[in-house]
Amino acid sequence: MATATQYRVIGTRPIRPDGYGKVTGKDQYGADVILPGMLYCKVLRSPHPHAIIKAIDVSKALALPGVMAVVTGDDLPRIESSEKVSSGEETIEARFMTALCLAQDKVYFKGQPVAAVAATSLATAQEALSLIEVEYEPLPVVDDVLEAMKEDAPLLHGDLYTESLAGKGSKPSNIAGRVEHARGDVDKGMAEADVVIEREFRTQMVHQGYIEPTNSTAYVAPDGRITIWTSTQGAWDIRNQVATILQIPEGMIRVIPMEIGGGFGGKFTAYLDPVVVLLSQKTGRPVKAVMTRAEVFQATGPSSGTYIRLKIGAKRDGTLVAADAFMVYDAGAFPGSPVGGASVTGLSPYNIPNFKILGFDVVTNRPRVKAYRAPGATAIAFAVETVLDEIAERLGIDPVDLRLKNAVGPGDRMTNGVPYPSIGFRELLTAVKEHPHYNAPLEGKWVGRGFAAGFWMNGSGVSTVHLTFNTDGTVNLIEGSTDIGGTRATMAQIVAEELWLEMEEVKPMVGDTQIVGFNDGTGGSRTTYSTGVAVWKACQNAIAEFKVRAARMLEVDAEEIVFEAGDFKVKGHPDRSVNIREVIRNLRHTGGHFEAVGVSGGLKMAPAFGASLVDLAVDPETGKVEILRWTQFQDVGKAIHPSYVEGQLQGGAAQGIGWALYEEYIFRDGHMLNPTFLDYRLPTALDLPMIDTCIIEVPASDGPYGVRGVGEVSIVPPPAAIANAIYRATGVRMNELPMTSERVWRAMSQRQSRVEQEAS
Amino acid sequence: MKPFEYVAARTIDEAVEALASSKGPAKPLAGGTDLVVQLNEGRITLDRVVDIGRIPELKRVDVDAQGQLRLGAAAPCVDVYSHLNVQRLFPMLVDSASIIGSVQVQSRASIGGNLCNASPSGDSIPTLICLGAQAVIQGPSGRRVVPVEEFCTGPGQTVLQPAELVVEIVVPAPGENEGGKYLRFIPRNEMDIAVVGVGSWIRWEPQSGRITDARIALGAVAPTPVRAPEAEAALIGKEVSWDVIDEASRLAVNAARPISDVRGSAEYRRHLVSVLVRRTLLAALERAGVDVKDLGGEAYAG
């Protein structure tokens, strides 16, 4: 790997190659796909959160002029096994994926697809839905994780048994899984503690809120070959899911990822793709489906709501001695909440000799959850980081100092026992203490400053890239990673750096499943790290071949060629050299064109730590929070394109602020009451402060330039930081997300009446 | 969305005729920021949509020499709040017109549309009530005038008869020593719907320091925007003081009959009524020329 600390292109801020298409609106997104003879698909969805489907009659819909096909769950193969498919940062049983596309026999959440129509117009497809007759037998609804865990709770699945390290449970349960991590003796540790804080926390389901709705268009050619144009973070995940659900060999399927309008972990799942493939198979015509926002909210995966009980004990000097975490994560209709992620993140930033972490994955009659930016970590960090704040306050220790005293370093172990490679948590905390924001005075009534830290493991996975060469001396870069955060720019920067070219001489594009070799999806903060390694390797492979070609041009042996600053030189004869552009231009004369491929995989973990520092004001009469100042800190290893790194930090903070103050699914008996952007409130530009960033660069152990993934951890600390600031401003500790104006007002009113009671 | 007939009327008569001759339900379209969404989501179905946005007199914003405002029913909010005489004479209307939706929405959405949509939380309605505005209605049987206060009859319900449309809103010229303020509470900072909206308007007599008239209108706390008569009575004839304002803000809650929904509980809404009545009264008094800093207490104007 490159050892130089001074780079020519890495660390600069070139204009993004995909910028023109974005700002002129000319880029093609999934909804822009229009094909000759294309049909429009609409999906009929269950009005019940839990019901048996007794009968479906589609005859009237089929009779409507313009309707070309109707499909139901009976048109999908029945998968009896517990085979799993990859869905980005998680796996899901294939039979449950089938149920997310079209229900078979039973519906488990409101909005679950029951039938789908392909028609010559959208209005006809919509009208046809009203002609489909479905007979349901409603079942009791389980709408709360704690209720779902009770012995006498109605069961969603008769064949679901609790899975844990101990094996499978003996009787069916809504508790799908149980995770446990432990170290030392918690009781002994608590007994040694000078201060013990125990608190309960609730958080609600929240959606990724990607602005581009889920969509898919498919065409099945007469020979059975399938092409899918879709909005996805992982084209290969979609291919695998479609192949599994429809029982079609992967080689028959080509998935073309279109430009993407946000994903945040939520766009790894083939909700519509198998359905439009089925309809195209039936009609022989291309079929397109685009969800409405209400469908996106109710039928794609949000992140889990949670119940968390946390107890932490510390010595008088701030040394943490024991922790006990009990976590319940709502999976929605089918198993697969991110409780596993929660169990290895929340307490992992700190060295705690005695702890016990118990987590449950619980099913309810709600939408099946999906990954959302650092899945599982934000809710547990909300608990851990507010309890630590309370301990710091109780002990009279600066909150950052408390964390510094207990912070993990390289070689320390995560809660699952895995030792950390190079990490920069202590460096990050030190940077916070030295930052002007932390040291600025904050005065006035009803204002407060809050701090919280966060941790995310980051993924690696497999990436493949191809470099091809043009006779004008430029280079094509084909990556298979969906570009969400600017990877065409950052990957091109690596090529420019390694091959000593200008940024404009590198032409990056995102390939589909048939153009480029296998790629894991754009998730888990893995792309810059892992795809970056693939690009770096492809560059080294290219340089090796260029040396051979340069040797031919210079009429020496390849061993005599060295590559320096863009020139291939003959060792000991600095005047005899040829520039890389000349080598590229002459490829066809020196042995013909070739392609350089780079494949990455098996990289070491490159974990990320982040922190949020916030100043805010609370309106004492309404409870409304106004953020006055925000600084987001993160150890990024090395920022390839600092603007995009800052953008990731700001984006994560913005979403974290949404979790903290506004966003929540509001349910009544399994019915979401606010499936619109009016009543599910994302923060707008007018609700956010300028989010300042502070980049810390502690190189990762592996990978090019010491890069770490940067996409996810920034969402982890904001809710806790805001809660801690609200406490400083008002004296109330918030233990439920979101901390809406009404909840803050209520907490303040209750505190006021307590104070008055105590006074009288 | 079900297909419907679209008619672009060039005159008011054409619009009335188009509405009257429709086979099934028909509605006028001004900016469309409510109507199109309702059609799109299937909350209403129409046989005919009559576009009134191309009728010149429905787009005008006129303040005459006496200071009376005549507002074409389809005039977009941006034309209202950027009108210099509206800014000078009716700042309370600017409060409302400038917070309905985003800037993009404001360049289409009209005050007339906001009124006819008759949402309990419509941001212009409490203001129009406070300012004593009247709605001029035209239909197959001619013109009639209805005070805005009596216009809404329930959520989405108005006094409009089939084929009638609002053509104009008339706001009387302001007098001396008057002031009004509209404020709403929303969870976010913009582009949101009022959890509670309050308009307060007062007239006072600088010589005696007494309030001579007051109107308080509450939004989003009843099926329609409502007046708060007890609070108004507690102000009229009184000398301006912190206690009088405080008392009025407390009494205003009696006029609220809020529901609990996803935007807020009834209890929170009642509390917000008192907070916003106090804040709007202070701001209204300030606009009327009262030096509110002299009043003591903790002023949260604006």
Side-chain angles (χ1 to χ4, degrees), chain A residues 24-102:
Chain A
T24 57
K26 299 298 183 195
D27 270 348
Q28 293 283 302
Y29 292 80
D32 298 317
V33 174
I34 305 275
L35 298 165
M38 190 176 81
L39 302 174
Y40 296 84
C41 166
K42 285 301 289 181
V43 176
L44 181 70
R45 298 178 179 280
S46 169
H48 301 288
H50 198 193
I52 292 166
I53 300 171
K54 301 196 79 174
I56 305 178
D57 183 351
V58 302
S59 55
K60 284 185 191 145
L62 272 173
L64 184 72
V67 172
M68 307 305 281
V70 181
V71 292
T72 69
D74 285 340
D75 293 286
L76 288 175
R78 285 181 185 268
I79 297 171
E80 309 291 347
S81 74
S82 55
E83 176 192 359
K84 288 187 175 174
V85 289
S86 158
S87 180
E89 293 173 82
E90 41 134 7
T91 57
I92 177 170
E93 284 188 31
R95 60 191 176 120
F96 296 139
M97 260 314 305
T98 300
L100 289 173
C101 292
L102 284 168

Side-chain angles (χ1 to χ4, degrees), chain A residues 444-592:
Chain A
K445 232 179 153 189
W446 309 111
V447 296
R449 175 171 294 157
F451 170 81
F455 163 64
W456 183 245
M457 298 84 74
N458 287 348
S460 56
V462 174
S463 286
T464 309
V465 303
H466 302 237
L467 297 179
T468 62
F469 309 99
N470 305 315
T471 52
D472 61 357
T474 61
V475 179
N476 301 322
L477 161 64
I478 309 170
E479 58 167 319
S481 297
T482 298
D483 182 356
I484 301 187
T487 58
R488 273 169 291 202
T490 51
M491 295 304 109
Q493 280 181 277
I494 295 176
V495 175
E497 181 74 39
E498 293 300 320
L499 301 185
W500 290 82
L501 296 170
E502 296 307 316
M503 187 66 182
E504 297 73 31
E505 293 174 295
V506 185
K507 316 290 179 187
M509 72 168 278
V510 178
D512 61 58
T513 58
Q514 212 141 338
I515 285 180
V516 58
F518 181 86
N519 277 271
D520 282 315
T522 299
S525 302
R526 64 171 288 277
T527 306
T528 306
Y529 184 49
S530 185
T531 307
V533 169
V535 172
W536 187 89
K537 283 184 174 175
C539 289
Q540 308 317 312
N541 291 340
I543 290 168
E545 181 63 22
F546 288 154
K547 282 183 178 169
V548 173
R549 305 305 182 87
R552 285 180 193 151
M553 291 170 78
L554 296 166
E555 299 180 325
V556 295
D557 287 339
E559 293 78 54
E560 291 184 55
I561 299 288
V562 289
F563 183 51
E564 283 174 11
D567 291 323
F568 291 92
K569 297 175 179 169
V570 180
K571 272 182 217 164
H573 298 273
D575 53 321
R576 292 180 64 196
S577 75
V578 57
N579 184 265
I580 188 166
R581 296 171 184 84
E582 279 307 303
V583 176
I584 293 173
R585 285 191 194 107
N586 284 288
L587 283 179
R588 59 185 156 168
H589 307 304
T590 58

